[in-house]
Amino acid sequence: MACAAWQRRLLAVGLLLALAFGAQAQDSNRSDWLRNPAMGNYKAYAEFKMAHYDAAREVWQTLAEVGNGDALFNLGILAEDGLGEPRNMARAESFYTSAAAADNFKAQYRLGLLYFAGTLLPRNTEKARLYLTRAATHGDRDAQDMLSRLGQPDAPLTTFQQAELLSGSGQLTQALALYRTLADAGDATAQTRLAWAYEAGRGVAADLPEAARRFEIAAQAGNAEAQYALAVMLRTGRGRAEDRAASAAWLDKAARQGHPAAQAAQVSEGRVTQ
């Protein structure tokens, strides 16, 4: 999605959105999605934002048939959070495992966190280390930090790590309280976690304008994932009024920091950041 997943889940986050396909994606169909998975993921993400979970699932199931890692990961999110379907952790685990096998680092981190926390899934230190290591090889700093903590079981947890594990245990209210404390102290990553919570309605009522407000705070502080998420909102007009120029500017900032989905979106638009 869950904390690190909150921002990565819908990223897209992470979702490899092709922002250039806005209007075209809305009228797309199965053959379009298979021909252009970026368009399909764009449509599914837009439907997810509007809580049209059945419509989002239809797209992701189509892309999952051809092994699309982002689609598999997001189907896991729907199953774990019970969005438009009964909550089913066994089903979520299966989707996450398939996504991780497709080298999706978001799924790798999520599985590592779930196995580490040992509440929503049985604790399994060996699997936690395996998946966190895989995510860490992608440069995921959250995975790197959690992997380090796994190797030092007696070391005290940081406030951020406490929040991560609380969220990975399904204790969202407690996790959000810690994120708010960190965000109020200027932690851009925690601010982004809160923004994803408000966008997805996890532990709080869904509130896209509040999500956009928090994304902008974190984006101004230099958080690439928040910059990318804000670009998506400005491009789709969800949570903020549509502003394609501002969207392109934030997308460029995220891409210049090496954000994979932002870079992919620029390529799809025929623009490549140097």
Side-chain angles (χ1 to χ4, degrees):
M1 5 349 239
C3 310
W6 292 352
Q7 67 191 82
R8 290 187 175 80
R9 294 176 174 194
L10 307 176
L11 269 182
V13 15
L15 292 178
L16 192 61
L17 303 179
L19 300 182
F21 297 133
Q24 185 181 3
Q26 297 309 307
D27 298 324
S28 60
N29 56 38
R30 177 184 172 86
S31 61
D32 295 321
W33 310 330
L34 290 172
R35 182 172 59 253
N36 191 335
M39 177 194 294
N41 275 320
Y42 175 89
K43 176 178 174 60
Y45 185 69
E47 298 290 358
F48 187 100
K49 276 179 173 292
M50 295 182 287
H52 299 165
Y53 301 124
D54 288 343
R57 183 183 300 102
E58 180 186 1
V59 180
W60 284 326
Q61 285 178 335
T62 297
L63 295 178
E65 292 173 10
V66 293
N68 184 280
D70 285 330
L72 287 162
F73 174 73
N74 286 297
L75 287 172
I77 294 166
L78 295 178
E80 179 181 346
D81 292 342
L83 299 174
E85 63 183 89
R87 186 177 186 185
N88 187 324
M89 282 306 302
R91 180 175 167 84
E93 181 183 19
S94 177
F95 281 128
Y96 289 149
T97 300
S98 295
D103 210 28
N104 183 285
F105 77 89
K106 301 182 296 296
Q108 291 164 351
Y109 178 82
R110 183 63 185 153
L111 281 172
L113 187 64
L114 288 167
Y115 289 130
F116 190 170
T119 300
L120 299 179
L121 292 178
R123 181 176 173 83
N124 188 316
T125 302
E126 182 178 346
K127 285 186 177 181
R129 182 174 291 106
L130 170 65
Y131 286 113
L132 289 173
T133 298
R134 289 181 180 177
T137 61
H138 288 279
D140 187 288
R141 284 180 290 182
D142 297 322
Q144 292 167 358
D145 291 344
M146 199 60 72
L147 185 62
S148 176
R149 174 63 184 80
L150 189 63
Q152 303 177 56
D154 296 327
L157 291 167
T158 66
T159 301
F160 185 79
Q161 288 171 336
Q162 291 176 47
E164 291 282 79
L165 290 173
L166 283 168
S167 178
S169 299
Q171 300 179 59
L172 302 180
T173 300
Q174 298 91 320
L176 287 173
L178 293 180
Y179 283 124
R180 285 194 180 90
T181 297
L182 292 168
D184 290 345
D187 188 314
T189 302
Q191 190 72 262
T192 304
R193 296 291 197 273
L194 284 172
W196 283 119
Y198 278 105
E199 183 171 60
R202 301 195 75 256
V204 292
D207 187 335
L208 291 182
E210 176 65 6
R213 184 184 75 83
R214 291 184 179 276
F215 278 136
E216 185 167 13
I217 293 172
Q220 294 285 5
N223 185 283
E225 290 178 328
Q227 291 168 350
Y228 176 67
L230 185 59
V232 173
M233 293 185 119
L234 289 164
R235 179 64 178 78
T236 60
R238 301 295 176 185
R240 282 291 172 88
E242 183 177 338
D243 186 333
R244 296 195 179 192
S247 173
W250 284 116
L251 189 68
D252 184 67
K253 288 179 183 293
R256 287 179 182 279
Q257 293 198 66
H259 192 281
Q263 292 176 329
Q266 286 199 319
V267 170
S268 75
E269 293 180 322
R271 297 188 294 112
V272 180
T273 296
Q274 300 297 323

